């Protein structure tokens, strides 16, 4: 359905999957206007779901993982190429019982279950730190393009929830999103090197859209910046094009990411004919449905 990294020139493939899989809006955990916005734009900004105490607990546990020498030397920890600062920590729900509880919070799981129309599991979790002065960019990409090609995720039936743990402003490299881009799958050019994840998690060079495709989508839909205060949730579709600039300010820009995938959409062998990425990047052996919400 969504071939990529196979052809000599990029292709645009119209989305073949729903954006919202549930039909009964009376049972939705989100207001109808928000559902309409998510279907049209591919993302939502949600405030005030967590109280100040909950956000402070998340910040404290985030700092604890970042400052741990043991965590820094684990495979789950990705460092910046030049500075050696911690860029991301993967599988945080397994490294921290606290973050496991947050990922399973019924307030989050209900939204994921409704939008995906199924029980869900955690395909990936991570903390992105983007430290001050040296936090490097994440170039434009669709998560689904990578998850389909390198992980074997069959269909567009997954979403991400990013919880801001520091102020995200226009200067410290906030998440940038292209509204409506979730409706178009861009088949990227280039082959996937062996063990691509070893370099792509530091700087992605493969599986990124071409300039002309990006220009066309940006001219049609513009760019929105996910600025906001700690506790804001950025909920976005798996195929939405997004990225962020480097952070050359003194203020870190840190976010907690949970990727929810439908149980019926669990990964198979990678569609790019590569070896599967490690379990800490993409759940394969440890797939388990989250506790059913009330």
């Amino acid at each position: 359905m969504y071939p990529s990294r196979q052809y000599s020139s990029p292709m645009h493939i119209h989305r073949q999957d729903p954006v919202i899989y549930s039909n009964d809006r009376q049972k939705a955990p989100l207001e109808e206007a928000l559902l309409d916005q998510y279907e049209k734009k591919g993302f939502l900004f949600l405030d005030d779901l967590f109280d100040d105490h909950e956000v402070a607990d998340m910040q404290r546990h985030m700092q604890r993982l970042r400052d741990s020498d043991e965590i820094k030397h684990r495979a789950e920890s990705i460092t910046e190429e030049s500075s050696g600062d911690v860029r991301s920590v993967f599988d945080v729900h397994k490294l921290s019982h606290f973050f496991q509880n947050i990922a399973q919070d019924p307030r989050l799981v209900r939204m994921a279950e409704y939008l995906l129309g199924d029980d869900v599991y955690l395909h990936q979790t991570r903390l992105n730190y983007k430290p001050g002065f040296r936090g490097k960019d994440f170039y434009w990409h669709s998560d689904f393009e990578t998850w389909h090609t390198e992980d074997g995720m069959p269909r567009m039936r997954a979403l991400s929830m990013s919880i801001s743990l520091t102020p995200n402003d226009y200067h410290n490299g906030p998440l940038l999103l292209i509204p409506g881009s979730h409706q178009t799958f861009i088949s990227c050019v280039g082959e996937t090197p062996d063990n691509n994840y070893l370099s792509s998690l530091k700087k992605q060079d493969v599986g990124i859209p071409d300039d002309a495709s990006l220009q066309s989508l940006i001219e049609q839909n513009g760019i929105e910046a996910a600025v906001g205060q700690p506790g804001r949730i950025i909920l976005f579709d798996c195929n939405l094009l997004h990225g962020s600039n480097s952070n050359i300010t003194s203020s870190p820009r840190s976010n907690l990411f949970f990727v929810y995938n439908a149980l019926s959409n669990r990964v198979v062998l990678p569609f790019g004919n590569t070896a599967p990425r490690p379990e800490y990047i993409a759940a394969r052996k440890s797939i388990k449905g989250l506790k059913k919400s009330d």
Side-chain angles (χ1 to χ4, degrees), residues 152-173:
M153 183 179 288
R155 307 299 290 258
M156 296 179 183
R157 202 168 184 174
L159 57 81
S160 293
M161 294 191 199
S162 171
I163 305 171
S164 301
L165 297 183
T166 58
N168 285 221
D169 59 42
Y170 288 102
H171 308 293
N172 66 349

PDB file of all heavy atoms in Angstrom, residues 152-173:
ATOM      1  N   GLY A 152       7.906  -2.530   9.896  1.00  0.00           N
ATOM      2  CA  GLY A 152       6.860  -3.433   9.434  1.00  0.00           C
ATOM      3  C   GLY A 152       5.471  -3.109   9.970  1.00  0.00           C
ATOM      4  O   GLY A 152       4.636  -4.003  10.114  1.00  0.00           O
ATOM      5  N   MET A 153       5.200  -1.835  10.261  1.00  0.00           N
ATOM      6  CA  MET A 153       3.849  -1.433  10.663  1.00  0.00           C
ATOM      7  C   MET A 153       2.975  -1.404   9.405  1.00  0.00           C
ATOM      8  O   MET A 153       3.235  -0.632   8.482  1.00  0.00           O
ATOM      9  CB  MET A 153       3.869  -0.056  11.334  1.00  0.00           C
ATOM     10  CG  MET A 153       2.498   0.389  11.839  1.00  0.00           C
ATOM     11  SD  MET A 153       2.553   2.007  12.656  1.00  0.00           S
ATOM     12  CE  MET A 153       3.393   1.605  14.193  1.00  0.00           C
ATOM     13  N   PRO A 154       1.918  -2.235   9.351  1.00  0.00           N
ATOM     14  CA  PRO A 154       1.177  -2.391   8.089  1.00  0.00           C
ATOM     15  C   PRO A 154       0.426  -1.146   7.624  1.00  0.00           C
ATOM     16  O   PRO A 154       0.539  -0.751   6.459  1.00  0.00           O
ATOM     17  CB  PRO A 154       0.201  -3.540   8.384  1.00  0.00           C
ATOM     18  CG  PRO A 154       0.811  -4.282   9.525  1.00  0.00           C
ATOM     19  CD  PRO A 154       1.490  -3.231  10.349  1.00  0.00           C
ATOM     20  N   ARG A 155      -0.363  -0.525   8.503  1.00  0.00           N
ATOM     21  CA  ARG A 155      -1.262   0.537   8.069  1.00  0.00           C
ATOM     22  C   ARG A 155      -1.124   1.764   8.957  1.00  0.00           C
ATOM     23  O   ARG A 155      -0.506   1.733  10.019  1.00  0.00           O
ATOM     24  CB  ARG A 155      -2.723   0.033   8.111  1.00  0.00           C
ATOM     25  CG  ARG A 155      -2.982  -1.271   7.361  1.00  0.00           C
ATOM     26  CD  ARG A 155      -2.668  -1.162   5.884  1.00  0.00           C
ATOM     27  NE  ARG A 155      -3.621  -0.309   5.201  1.00  0.00           N
ATOM     28  CZ  ARG A 155      -4.638  -0.762   4.458  1.00  0.00           C
ATOM     29  NH1 ARG A 155      -4.840  -2.071   4.340  1.00  0.00           N
ATOM     30  NH2 ARG A 155      -5.428   0.088   3.824  1.00  0.00           N
ATOM     31  N   MET A 156      -1.748   2.850   8.516  1.00  0.00           N
ATOM     32  CA  MET A 156      -1.742   4.102   9.273  1.00  0.00           C
ATOM     33  C   MET A 156      -2.794   4.027  10.378  1.00  0.00           C
ATOM     34  O   MET A 156      -3.870   4.635  10.300  1.00  0.00           O
ATOM     35  CB  MET A 156      -2.010   5.283   8.347  1.00  0.00           C
ATOM     36  CG  MET A 156      -0.943   5.503   7.289  1.00  0.00           C
ATOM     37  SD  MET A 156      -1.358   6.899   6.220  1.00  0.00           S
ATOM     38  CE  MET A 156       0.011   6.836   5.050  1.00  0.00           C
ATOM     39  N   ARG A 157      -2.484   3.268  11.401  1.00  0.00           N
ATOM     40  CA  ARG A 157      -3.402   3.100  12.517  1.00  0.00           C
ATOM     41  C   ARG A 157      -2.634   3.243  13.823  1.00  0.00           C
ATOM     42  O   ARG A 157      -2.734   2.422  14.742  1.00  0.00           O
ATOM     43  CB  ARG A 157      -4.115   1.742  12.426  1.00  0.00           C
ATOM     44  CG  ARG A 157      -5.425   1.679  13.199  1.00  0.00           C
ATOM     45  CD  ARG A 157      -6.241   0.436  12.854  1.00  0.00           C
ATOM     46  NE  ARG A 157      -7.524   0.464  13.544  1.00  0.00           N
ATOM     47  CZ  ARG A 157      -8.499  -0.417  13.350  1.00  0.00           C
ATOM     48  NH1 ARG A 157      -8.323  -1.406  12.475  1.00  0.00           N
ATOM     49  NH2 ARG A 157      -9.631  -0.323  14.011  1.00  0.00           N
ATOM     50  N   ALA A 158      -1.865   4.316  13.891  1.00  0.00           N
ATOM     51  CA  ALA A 158      -1.051   4.617  15.077  1.00  0.00           C
ATOM     52  C   ALA A 158      -1.023   6.130  15.254  1.00  0.00           C
ATOM     53  O   ALA A 158      -1.297   6.895  14.322  1.00  0.00           O
ATOM     54  CB  ALA A 158       0.364   4.070  14.901  1.00  0.00           C
ATOM     55  N   LEU A 159      -0.675   6.557  16.452  1.00  0.00           N
ATOM     56  CA  LEU A 159      -0.573   7.987  16.733  1.00  0.00           C
ATOM     57  C   LEU A 159       0.438   8.218  17.841  1.00  0.00           C
ATOM     58  O   LEU A 159       0.797   7.301  18.574  1.00  0.00           O
ATOM     59  CB  LEU A 159      -1.940   8.579  17.105  1.00  0.00           C
ATOM     60  CG  LEU A 159      -2.697   7.977  18.289  1.00  0.00           C
ATOM     61  CD1 LEU A 159      -2.215   8.498  19.637  1.00  0.00           C
ATOM     62  CD2 LEU A 159      -4.190   8.244  18.162  1.00  0.00           C
ATOM     63  N   SER A 160       0.896   9.450  17.928  1.00  0.00           N
ATOM     64  CA  SER A 160       1.836   9.843  18.978  1.00  0.00           C
ATOM     65  C   SER A 160       1.201  10.863  19.899  1.00  0.00           C
ATOM     66  O   SER A 160       0.399  11.700  19.467  1.00  0.00           O
ATOM     67  CB  SER A 160       3.106  10.453  18.367  1.00  0.00           C
ATOM     68  OG  SER A 160       3.855   9.503  17.657  1.00  0.00           O
ATOM     69  N   MET A 161       1.564  10.786  21.158  1.00  0.00           N
ATOM     70  CA  MET A 161       1.229  11.824  22.117  1.00  0.00           C
ATOM     71  C   MET A 161       2.534  12.322  22.717  1.00  0.00           C
ATOM     72  O   MET A 161       3.282  11.558  23.325  1.00  0.00           O
ATOM     73  CB  MET A 161       0.305  11.306  23.209  1.00  0.00           C
ATOM     74  CG  MET A 161      -1.071  10.900  22.707  1.00  0.00           C
ATOM     75  SD  MET A 161      -2.218  10.586  24.065  1.00  0.00           S
ATOM     76  CE  MET A 161      -3.464   9.600  23.212  1.00  0.00           C
ATOM     77  N   SER A 162       2.804  13.590  22.509  1.00  0.00           N
ATOM     78  CA  SER A 162       4.011  14.231  23.033  1.00  0.00           C
ATOM     79  C   SER A 162       3.598  15.166  24.159  1.00  0.00           C
ATOM     80  O   SER A 162       2.791  16.073  23.959  1.00  0.00           O
ATOM     81  CB  SER A 162       4.720  15.009  21.920  1.00  0.00           C
ATOM     82  OG  SER A 162       5.760  15.804  22.438  1.00  0.00           O
ATOM     83  N   ILE A 163       4.141  14.942  25.343  1.00  0.00           N
ATOM     84  CA  ILE A 163       3.819  15.761  26.506  1.00  0.00           C
ATOM     85  C   ILE A 163       4.986  16.710  26.763  1.00  0.00           C
ATOM     86  O   ILE A 163       6.118  16.274  26.999  1.00  0.00           O
ATOM     87  CB  ILE A 163       3.565  14.891  27.745  1.00  0.00           C
ATOM     88  CG1 ILE A 163       2.465  13.856  27.457  1.00  0.00           C
ATOM     89  CG2 ILE A 163       3.182  15.760  28.942  1.00  0.00           C
ATOM     90  CD1 ILE A 163       2.296  12.825  28.554  1.00  0.00           C
ATOM     91  N   SER A 164       4.728  18.005  26.697  1.00  0.00           N
ATOM     92  CA  SER A 164       5.775  18.999  26.919  1.00  0.00           C
ATOM     93  C   SER A 164       6.175  19.014  28.389  1.00  0.00           C
ATOM     94  O   SER A 164       5.313  19.122  29.272  1.00  0.00           O
ATOM     95  CB  SER A 164       5.287  20.395  26.514  1.00  0.00           C
ATOM     96  OG  SER A 164       4.902  20.425  25.157  1.00  0.00           O
ATOM     97  N   LEU A 165       7.473  18.905  28.647  1.00  0.00           N
ATOM     98  CA  LEU A 165       7.964  18.910  30.024  1.00  0.00           C
ATOM     99  C   LEU A 165       8.797  20.148  30.344  1.00  0.00           C
ATOM    100  O   LEU A 165       9.233  20.327  31.488  1.00  0.00           O
ATOM    101  CB  LEU A 165       8.780  17.644  30.297  1.00  0.00           C
ATOM    102  CG  LEU A 165       7.989  16.331  30.181  1.00  0.00           C
ATOM    103  CD1 LEU A 165       8.869  15.146  30.548  1.00  0.00           C
ATOM    104  CD2 LEU A 165       6.729  16.351  31.033  1.00  0.00           C
ATOM    105  N   THR A 166       9.021  20.973  29.333  1.00  0.00           N
ATOM    106  CA  THR A 166       9.634  22.284  29.520  1.00  0.00           C
ATOM    107  C   THR A 166       8.834  23.256  28.663  1.00  0.00           C
ATOM    108  O   THR A 166       8.073  22.827  27.789  1.00  0.00           O
ATOM    109  CB  THR A 166      11.103  22.306  29.048  1.00  0.00           C
ATOM    110  OG1 THR A 166      11.146  21.932  27.663  1.00  0.00           O
ATOM    111  CG2 THR A 166      11.977  21.356  29.847  1.00  0.00           C
ATOM    112  N   PRO A 167       8.974  24.565  28.881  1.00  0.00           N
ATOM    113  CA  PRO A 167       8.336  25.485  27.952  1.00  0.00           C
ATOM    114  C   PRO A 167       8.842  25.236  26.524  1.00  0.00           C
ATOM    115  O   PRO A 167      10.035  25.074  26.307  1.00  0.00           O
ATOM    116  CB  PRO A 167       8.770  26.866  28.465  1.00  0.00           C
ATOM    117  CG  PRO A 167       9.042  26.651  29.921  1.00  0.00           C
ATOM    118  CD  PRO A 167       9.632  25.270  30.009  1.00  0.00           C
ATOM    119  N   ASN A 168       7.927  25.151  25.597  1.00  0.00           N
ATOM    120  CA  ASN A 168       8.251  25.025  24.172  1.00  0.00           C
ATOM    121  C   ASN A 168       7.903  26.355  23.525  1.00  0.00           C
ATOM    122  O   ASN A 168       6.711  26.682  23.387  1.00  0.00           O
ATOM    123  CB  ASN A 168       7.452  23.893  23.524  1.00  0.00           C
ATOM    124  CG  ASN A 168       7.945  22.491  23.871  1.00  0.00           C
ATOM    125  OD1 ASN A 168       8.011  21.611  23.028  1.00  0.00           O
ATOM    126  ND2 ASN A 168       8.282  22.273  25.134  1.00  0.00           N
ATOM    127  N   ASP A 169       8.918  27.143  23.169  1.00  0.00           N
ATOM    128  CA  ASP A 169       8.637  28.449  22.571  1.00  0.00           C
ATOM    129  C   ASP A 169       9.192  28.497  21.145  1.00  0.00           C
ATOM    130  O   ASP A 169       9.744  27.521  20.652  1.00  0.00           O
ATOM    131  CB  ASP A 169       9.181  29.584  23.445  1.00  0.00           C
ATOM    132  CG  ASP A 169      10.687  29.505  23.666  1.00  0.00           C
ATOM    133  OD1 ASP A 169      11.420  29.217  22.696  1.00  0.00           O
ATOM    134  OD2 ASP A 169      11.136  29.755  24.810  1.00  0.00           O
ATOM    135  N   TYR A 170       9.042  29.631  20.506  1.00  0.00           N
ATOM    136  CA  TYR A 170       9.440  29.738  19.102  1.00  0.00           C
ATOM    137  C   TYR A 170      10.948  29.706  18.906  1.00  0.00           C
ATOM    138  O   TYR A 170      11.428  29.558  17.784  1.00  0.00           O
ATOM    139  CB  TYR A 170       8.874  31.036  18.491  1.00  0.00           C
ATOM    140  CG  TYR A 170       7.381  30.996  18.282  1.00  0.00           C
ATOM    141  CD1 TYR A 170       6.521  31.648  19.164  1.00  0.00           C
ATOM    142  CD2 TYR A 170       6.825  30.296  17.217  1.00  0.00           C
ATOM    143  CE1 TYR A 170       5.147  31.608  18.985  1.00  0.00           C
ATOM    144  CE2 TYR A 170       5.448  30.248  17.027  1.00  0.00           C
ATOM    145  CZ  TYR A 170       4.617  30.904  17.915  1.00  0.00           C
ATOM    146  OH  TYR A 170       3.250  30.853  17.728  1.00  0.00           O
ATOM    147  N   HIS A 171      11.707  29.839  20.005  1.00  0.00           N
ATOM    148  CA  HIS A 171      13.155  29.974  19.883  1.00  0.00           C
ATOM    149  C   HIS A 171      13.934  28.702  20.201  1.00  0.00           C
ATOM    150  O   HIS A 171      15.067  28.542  19.737  1.00  0.00           O
ATOM    151  CB  HIS A 171      13.647  31.103  20.798  1.00  0.00           C
ATOM    152  CG  HIS A 171      12.925  32.397  20.605  1.00  0.00           C
ATOM    153  ND1 HIS A 171      13.026  33.148  19.451  1.00  0.00           N
ATOM    154  CD2 HIS A 171      12.056  33.059  21.417  1.00  0.00           C
ATOM    155  CE1 HIS A 171      12.267  34.223  19.555  1.00  0.00           C
ATOM    156  NE2 HIS A 171      11.674  34.201  20.733  1.00  0.00           N
ATOM    157  N   ASN A 172      13.381  27.791  21.000  1.00  0.00           N
ATOM    158  CA  ASN A 172      14.176  26.654  21.468  1.00  0.00           C
ATOM    159  C   ASN A 172      13.888  25.348  20.716  1.00  0.00           C
ATOM    160  O   ASN A 172      14.023  24.262  21.261  1.00  0.00           O
ATOM    161  CB  ASN A 172      14.027  26.465  22.990  1.00  0.00           C
ATOM    162  CG  ASN A 172      12.621  26.067  23.423  1.00  0.00           C
ATOM    163  OD1 ASN A 172      11.683  26.109  22.632  1.00  0.00           O
ATOM    164  ND2 ASN A 172      12.474  25.681  24.685  1.00  0.00           N
ATOM    165  N   GLY A 173      13.515  25.474  19.467  1.00  0.00           N
ATOM    166  CA  GLY A 173      13.364  24.293  18.613  1.00  0.00           C
ATOM    167  C   GLY A 173      12.081  23.518  18.836  1.00  0.00           C
ATOM    168  O   GLY A 173      12.123  22.295  19.006  1.00  0.00           O
TER     169      GLY A 173
END
